[in-house]
Amino acid sequence: MKRILYICLLALGWNLTINAQVTGTIYRFDDIGTGLKQNEAFENGFGLLCMGDDDYSLYGTGKYSKLSLTKCIITRAMAIENWGAKYNYTFEATDDMDVNISIKYCVGWDGFARHSNHPNNTRNQYIIDNATNLDWVSRYYGSMILSLDGTNLPTSQKARPLAPEDYEPDGKTFNDILSDETLWESTLVAGGANDTLWLWPSAGGNNEKKPHYNDTPDYIKIHLTKGTHTLTVTSLCSGWDFDCLKIEDFNTSGIQSTHFEPAPSIYCNNSTIYTNSHEEIRIYNGTGQLMKRFHGQAQMPKGFYIVKCGDFVKKIFIK
């Protein structure tokens, strides 16, 4: 049987125990939990918006304070902490296995076209130590690193499409580039795999920001030993929304005929909880008391709830 594990926001997955935490820093202007968006297009109904601070003109201990009014040198770690974000996911592997890992994400065309991949972009006034010719935002807009137990994983990515330097609202030139990978920039390092994963819009001119996976897994044949592990998503810069991680058994992930029954979609809109499952849904309050049983949809007052559909569990916040 094909084994697929989803690491989703605020959820418990099949055969997988999840504890998701945000690593907050003094450079982040938002609080833990801020930036969550409810939408049925996301797995389990939730996604994280803007994986980092998109005010590239500021650096300091607060959103509205500057480290310097002129160019100054900062370290790579400081750049990540200022404009990036970091999320840790602890899970339990039930067996030793080799897995493929895919990132489900979305990138809007407008921001990507204006900020990404422009070598002469001078919007960012902060010089990265040991990389004085590097403009951080231009180089790392919409990119991330995935680490397993503190070790960065090599990506399967070999090249990426670059946004044209001249902004085009309809993205026609970018679409031409997307369709011809010989026009892409290599992401290899000395001919070998890179630990940076670059992300881009599904199409030029597309600001719909519907989450999707790349055509092939982003990390291939990653070995997991039986036991507890931590995956860390480190966003190097903003410009992308994060949906979830998908982990597939490497030995079976290429078998197209294998049937897979996805987790039920449960999400909230205003004060109504919706599901696409035909099973009975149970709603519990924060202390574990059963509040309601329903099929299809149910209205609930403001509060925090735990929603169960069979073995599937999801947390819901109604504001």
Side-chain angles (χ1 to χ4, degrees):
M1 177 182 294
K2 181 177 180 179
R3 292 179 291 182
I4 300 182
L5 309 178
Y6 285 87
I7 296 184
C8 302
L9 296 169
L10 304 178
L12 299 178
W14 284 328
N15 304 317
L16 189 67
T17 302
I18 295 291
N19 178 25
Q21 294 181 328
V22 177
T23 302
T25 79
I26 60 174
Y27 301 102
R28 294 282 295 169
F29 67 90
D30 54 344
D31 296 323
I32 293 176
T34 300
L36 279 175
K37 180 181 180 180
Q38 285 182 298
N39 190 311
E40 59 182 324
F42 291 107
E43 298 286 347
N44 290 339
F46 280 93
L48 276 172
L49 301 185
C50 196
M51 291 286 287
D53 190 342
D54 59 3
D55 190 339
Y56 310 125
S57 66
L58 295 179
Y59 184 94
T61 57
K63 174 78 172 173
Y64 302 103
S65 64
K66 293 187 177 181
L67 182 67
S68 172
L69 295 176
T70 59
K71 288 188 177 182
C72 59
I73 295 177
I74 60 177
T75 66
R76 176 184 174 91
M78 291 165 69
I80 294 173
E81 195 168 23
N82 194 59
W83 291 295
K86 185 176 291 187
Y87 296 86
N88 295 318
Y89 296 87
T90 301
F91 66 97
E92 187 79 16
T94 56
D95 301 289
D96 285 7
M97 65 178 76
D98 291 326
V99 299
N100 293 340
I101 303 175
S102 300
I103 307 296
K104 194 172 186 183
Y105 70 94
C106 45
V107 176
W109 165 247
D110 191 69
F112 181 83
R114 294 181 185 276
H115 295 293
S116 179
N117 311 326
H118 299 166
N120 298 319
N121 187 345
T122 57
R123 294 183 181 91
N124 175 8
Q125 296 298 304
Y126 302 100
I127 300 171
I128 310 302
D129 190 24
N130 297 322
T132 55
N133 295 322
L134 171 65
D135 180 87
W136 184 263
V137 176
S138 299
R139 180 66 173 170
Y140 290 108
Y141 186 90
S143 64
M144 58 160 284
I145 291 173
L146 184 66
S147 64
L148 175 65
D149 301 329
T151 301
N152 292 352
L153 298 177
T155 77
S156 63
Q157 191 175 84
K158 297 180 180 179
R160 63 175 180 142
L162 301 180
E165 289 195 38
D166 294 330
Y167 173 74
E168 295 179 343
D170 62 2
K172 181 181 182 304
T173 301
F174 182 72
N175 285 332
D176 293 339
I177 295 171
L178 272 181
S179 63
D180 185 357
E181 294 191 18
T182 64
L183 302 176
W184 294 18
E185 177 190 70
S186 173
T187 58
L188 300 178
V189 178
N194 200 332
D195 63 2
T196 299
L197 179 71
W198 276 276
L199 311 169
W200 52 81
S202 58
N206 180 15
N207 285 301
E208 181 184 20
K209 299 185 74 173
K210 184 176 180 179
H212 65 280
Y213 294 107
N214 290 327
D215 293 336
T216 59
D218 302 304
Y219 305 86
I220 294 177
K221 203 174 183 180
I222 303 301
H223 185 66
L224 294 178
T225 58
K226 181 179 179 179
T228 302
H229 299 280
T230 298
L231 281 170
T232 300
V233 175
T234 299
S235 175
L236 300 182
C237 190
S238 63
W240 63 290
D241 300 343
F242 175 47
D243 188 344
C244 70
L245 301 170
K246 178 174 67 174
I247 305 177
E248 300 177 281
D249 188 328
F250 169 78
N251 295 312
T252 58
S253 60
I255 302 175
Q256 300 300 316
S257 61
T258 303
H259 177 71
F260 168 61
E261 184 67 28
S265 174
I266 300 175
Y267 66 99
C268 177
N269 185 15
N270 295 324
S271 61
T272 304
I273 298 175
Y274 298 89
T275 178
N276 64 350
S277 174
H278 298 295
E279 295 187 42
E280 180 185 76
I281 309 298
R282 289 161 290 165
I283 302 177
Y284 300 83
N285 62 18
T287 63
Q289 179 183 3
L290 180 63
M291 303 296 293
K292 182 176 291 188
R293 300 173 184 263
F294 74 96
H295 290 80
Q297 65 184 62
Q299 286 192 321
M300 296 295 293
K302 295 179 180 179
F304 165 78
Y305 301 99
I306 299 172
V307 183
K308 297 188 68 176
C309 177
D311 294 329
F312 181 79
V313 180
K314 179 174 182 178
K315 298 177 183 178
I316 290 285
F317 298 91
I318 297 180
K319 298 181 179 181

